[in-house]
Amino acid sequence: MKEYRKLTDIQHDLKAGDITCAALVSAYLERIDQNQHLNAFIEVFAEEALEKAKALDEKIQAGKAGRLAGLIVGLKDNVAYEGHELTASSKILQGFQSLFSATVTQNLLNEDAIIIGRTNCDEFAMGSSNETSFYGSVKNPLDVSRVPGGSSGGSAAAVAANLCHASIGTDTGGSIRQPAAYCGIYGMKPTYGRVSRHGLVAFASSFDQAGPFARSLEDLALMTEIISGSDEFDATASERPVPNMQIPAETGKKRFAIIKEVRNSEGLHPEIKAVFERKIESLLAAGHVVEEVSFPYIDYCIPTYYVLTTAEASSNLSRYNGVTYGYRYENAKDLEEMYKKTRSLGFGREVKRRIMLGTFVLSEGYYDAYYSKAQKVRRVLRDSMEEILKEYDVVLLPSTPSFPFQFGAKSTDPIEMYLEDIFTAAANLTGHPAISVPAGTASNQLPMGMQLIGRLFDEPGLFAAASLLN
Amino acid sequence: MKVDQNTVDRLAHLARLEFNADEKQQLVGEMNNMLAFVEKLNELDTDSVAPLVYLSDSENVFREDEPKPWITHQEALQNAAKKDTDFIRVPKVIDQSGE
């Protein structure tokens, strides 16, 4: 099986009769089998995917196939798929079978995508290295001694290793863009409200967005368009019509903003900075506007993010009590003991740490000092980003300050791990769409990613600008 | 130091979690570190700023309130750890074995 970058190439070969969906699925299943050491998938839907592929081959023959025919995808294990297990990589959801499909999943299925399995992730999407998963960490396919990033580490590794053509992840503070950068592929976080959250395992509801990982910008745009749209099951999903997101052949001249505080950031690795500077030079040489602006809040993003997301998580995760679904501690004498033992044994350390911090910032006497304060700072951040994007089409910055790290390297001090998201969390705090585009490999053979933040609900403009980085 | 062992005990009860002595000790340290880290937000003057609560700009999204089947009784029981034919079963609300 040849290695495809674009769905249009797969669809071309399907139409020409050079390949079939069944052969495609078989090839991916074989590669999944050969790459089990990566631990990218928690479960593979082998038989089901093959059956669906055969049915789809007939549909293609009949000329009735959907827009994603031939797209074999992995689904992060926090996105619901009816009749399939859904655990958010947590012990507390072991054995849980989803009764319905997420709107994201349904939108993919409606266009004939085939879901090949569910991918590993950090427990409840809380982590930046995929090391908090109950099912063990995922290895970076480009260097198996290093993390793939997180929390959507399995989704990123699966696409990078060509175990499926594309995948779905979720991004609460960088959980799509950081692993995309660490695995050398494309990743997209749509505008908050662009994609329904119905059927996503909730972590921090005012931040969470689902989005795709892909091997080309074209596929990323097509998948984003297809999963987008209003939804009667999610009132925060925008009623705005979904625009065509196809990459235009001619973008015209674009205006790029460069954040001075990022450019001069001490923590930015010199080789990543060098690539960043080269991108700026080539954009300027091509006649685009690239100017420095000030966003003096980069160092406030992670503190704001951790106050608000832990608060939302402590509330969202209160539903896991062992009663209606999931793991239950069986030998409790009374109900309260059952709740406490179930939750203490069912959640991992990082999740409990965040529930505790979230409970603290919401507790009496501290609410105003922490939670309200962070909400106010969030408005300052959003207003400042909006000001910048009035003058510029996009903001260009590196996706991460450094490279994928060795397992365990950032596990001693939680704050060090939290700072992994220093360049990505801003877009979740402000709601803006953001994309990570691969930017080649450094002298250490490790990949780098460049990030673009676009205007609210202007995904087409963001994709157009991203095509200039290719 | 905003968080001590008593704070951890109180918060753990509110969150329905339990920790052993070592875990509590560790949590005291980690939570105080995190709170010191987020103190940075106080450098910003936000006196005249209203909290940003909702990211969405849409208001009052309505739909018709029509009753319709969502999941069946059996489906609702399907994922419960302990159940009978009609109900999910849980331990007694109050333990009376010691009395």
Side-chain angles (χ1 to χ4, degrees):
Chain A
M1 181 68 60
K2 76 182 188 201
E3 194 165 329
Y4 292 98
R5 273 192 55 246
K6 295 181 190 179
L7 177 62
T8 48
D9 293 340
I10 294 175
Q11 289 174 337
H12 174 272
D13 287 0
L14 283 169
K15 209 173 166 187
D18 295 342
I19 53 163
T20 62
C21 291
L24 205 55
V25 168
S26 298
Y28 284 126
L29 289 174
E30 203 179 306
R31 287 191 56 82
I32 291 172
D33 200 45
Q34 289 162 352
N35 287 279
Q36 287 191 26
H37 64 284
L38 296 178
N39 203 22
F41 282 92
I42 295 174
E43 189 186 357
V44 181
F45 311 136
E47 277 180 32
E48 181 195 322
L50 268 174
E51 270 171 40
K52 287 201 161 190
K54 285 174 194 161
L56 183 55
D57 282 325
E58 287 173 20
K59 223 171 155 181
I60 292 170
Q61 289 277 318
K64 288 178 182 165
R67 295 170 74 194
L68 296 182
L71 186 76
I72 315 299
V73 293
L75 202 57
K76 185 177 180 180
D77 188 32
N78 65 350
V79 183
Y81 184 12
E82 187 179 352
H84 296 76
E85 203 171 322
L86 175 69
T87 74
S89 289
S90 179
K91 179 183 173 183
I92 210 160
L93 271 171
Q94 257 196 310
F96 173 76
Q97 297 271 332
S98 185
L99 298 175
F100 60 92
S101 286
T103 302
V104 168
T105 309
Q106 197 56 53
N107 288 346
L108 293 173
L109 295 172
N110 289 348
E111 293 294 343
D112 285 328
I114 291 175
I115 296 166
I116 199 164
R118 54 191 172 97
T119 54
N120 202 341
C121 58
D122 279 296
E123 185 181 5
F124 284 100
M126 296 179 187
S128 302
S129 64
N130 218 117
E131 291 174 293
T132 72
S133 169
F134 178 65
Y135 298 96
S137 46
V138 175
K139 293 188 168 60
N140 191 319
L142 306 174
D143 178 346
V144 292
S145 72
R146 291 172 192 274
V147 302
S151 66
S152 315
S155 292
V159 173
N162 202 26
L163 311 184
C164 49
H165 185 71
S167 63
I168 293 292
T170 59
D171 191 315
T172 303
S175 283
I176 291 174
R177 290 158 288 152
Q178 183 251 22
Y182 278 8
C183 291
I185 58 172
Y186 295 84
M188 166 78 178
K189 182 203 83 79
T191 308
Y192 182 83
R194 180 53 99 188
V195 177
S196 166
R197 290 179 295 104
H198 175 63
L200 267 52
V201 177
F203 160 15
S205 304
S206 77
F207 293 75
D208 300 341
Q209 271 290 281
F213 287 95
R215 300 164 71 85
S216 68
L217 196 57
E218 290 82 353
D219 290 358
L220 199 74
L222 177 65
M223 290 175 74
T224 305
E225 182 183 320
I226 282 169
I227 62 173
S228 293
S230 62
D231 185 6
E232 63 168 331
F233 295 117
D234 178 6
T236 64
S238 173
E239 300 276 317
R240 285 177 181 77
V242 177
N244 179 331
M245 296 184 189
Q246 202 179 355
I247 318 287
E250 185 50 58
T251 62
K253 300 297 177 212
K254 291 275 183 185
R255 296 177 58 81
F256 292 79
I258 304 296
I259 297 173
K260 182 172 69 185
E261 292 80 5
V262 168
R263 194 180 202 173
N264 302 327
S265 159
E266 268 179 38
L268 182 56
H269 192 284
E271 261 197 87
I272 297 179
K273 183 168 171 22
V275 170
F276 181 53
E277 296 294 343
R278 281 206 297 279
K279 291 280 177 199
I280 295 171
E281 282 162 28
S282 66
L283 288 167
L284 284 169
H288 302 285
V289 173
V290 187
E291 286 171 358
E292 221 175 54
V293 298
S294 178
F295 180 73
Y297 304 113
I298 283 291
D299 291 338
Y300 298 88
C301 287
I302 298 296
T304 311
Y305 176 84
Y306 274 91
V307 171
L308 296 177
T309 58
T310 57
E312 293 189 26
S314 73
S315 171
N316 272 328
L317 271 60
S318 65
R319 72 189 67 175
Y320 302 101
N321 56 19
V323 176
T324 45
Y325 48 77
Y327 165 78
R328 179 193 289 194
Y329 174 75
E330 283 295 349
N331 300 317
K333 292 191 301 296
D334 58 36
L335 198 57
E336 186 173 297
E337 189 190 2
M338 187 190 92
Y339 292 155
K340 287 186 174 176
K341 288 273 191 328
T342 294
R343 290 166 62 77
S344 300
L345 296 168
F347 289 133
R349 259 186 68 189
E350 180 61 29
V351 172
K352 284 189 269 195
R353 187 152 52 212
R354 295 199 198 190
I355 291 174
M356 287 290 282
L357 189 68
T359 306
F360 178 84
V361 300
L362 288 176
S363 65
E364 201 183 345
Y366 295 104
Y367 183 96
D368 286 338
Y370 292 97
Y371 187 66
S372 256
K373 175 75 188 185
Q375 286 183 316
K376 290 177 181 178
V377 175
R378 192 178 193 183
R379 183 179 297 279
V380 172
L381 299 176
R382 193 188 62 172
D383 290 352
S384 174
M385 191 65 84
E386 279 288 86
E387 243 353 90
I388 293 170
L389 288 165
K390 264 186 204 155
E391 298 286 323
Y392 299 90
D393 297 305
V394 286
V395 178
L396 170 66
L397 70 169
S399 302
T400 62
S402 55
F403 294 99
F405 47 91
Q406 307 263 345
F407 290 99
K410 299 198 177 184
S411 302
T412 332
D413 178 6
I415 293 173
E416 212 185 320
M417 184 71 86
Y418 298 165
L419 287 168
E420 271 295 299
D421 292 331
I422 187 156
F423 293 161
T424 47
N428 302 83
L429 285 157
T430 64
H432 292 85
I435 190 171
S436 179
V437 175
T441 48
S443 59
N444 56 14
Q445 304 305 316
L446 294 171
M448 297 169 283
M450 287 295 138
Q451 188 185 191
L452 287 173
I453 302 173
R455 291 178 178 149
L456 293 169
F457 294 100
D458 183 24
E459 279 81 5
L462 181 57
F463 285 123
S467 72
L468 299 169
L469 296 181
N470 262 348
Chain B
M1 295 289 270
K2 292 216 164 66
V3 174
D4 57 21
Q5 295 255 358
N6 288 332
T7 327
V8 168
D9 285 337
R10 188 173 56 84
L11 294 171
H13 176 67
L14 285 173
R16 299 296 184 270
L17 290 169
E18 286 177 352
F19 297 100
N20 65 33
D22 284 350
E23 291 170 330
K24 276 185 209 171
Q25 194 57 49
Q26 206 168 2
L27 269 170
V28 168
E30 287 170 350
M31 290 182 72
N32 280 314
N33 284 346
M34 267 311 278
L35 292 172
F37 176 65
V38 304
E39 285 297 327
K40 184 161 182 69
L41 299 186
N42 292 325
E43 293 170 9
L44 294 177
D45 176 7
T46 53
D47 285 351
S48 57
V49 181
L52 179 60
V53 182
Y54 301 109
L55 279 200
S56 160
D57 56 5
S58 49
E59 286 173 32
N60 297 338
V61 179
F62 291 116
R63 61 166 169 76
E64 289 306 314
D65 188 17
E66 291 165 342
K68 52 184 167 186
W70 174 227
I71 55 170
T72 64
H73 192 146
Q74 282 314 307
E75 283 173 335
L77 292 173
Q78 181 190 307
N79 280 300
K82 207 171 173 194
K83 65 224 165 190
D84 57 29
T85 50
D86 292 320
F87 298 102
I88 292 167
R89 298 189 67 92
V90 293
K92 285 191 171 67
V93 174
I94 300 167
D95 172 36
Q96 294 175 318
S97 60
E99 290 175 15

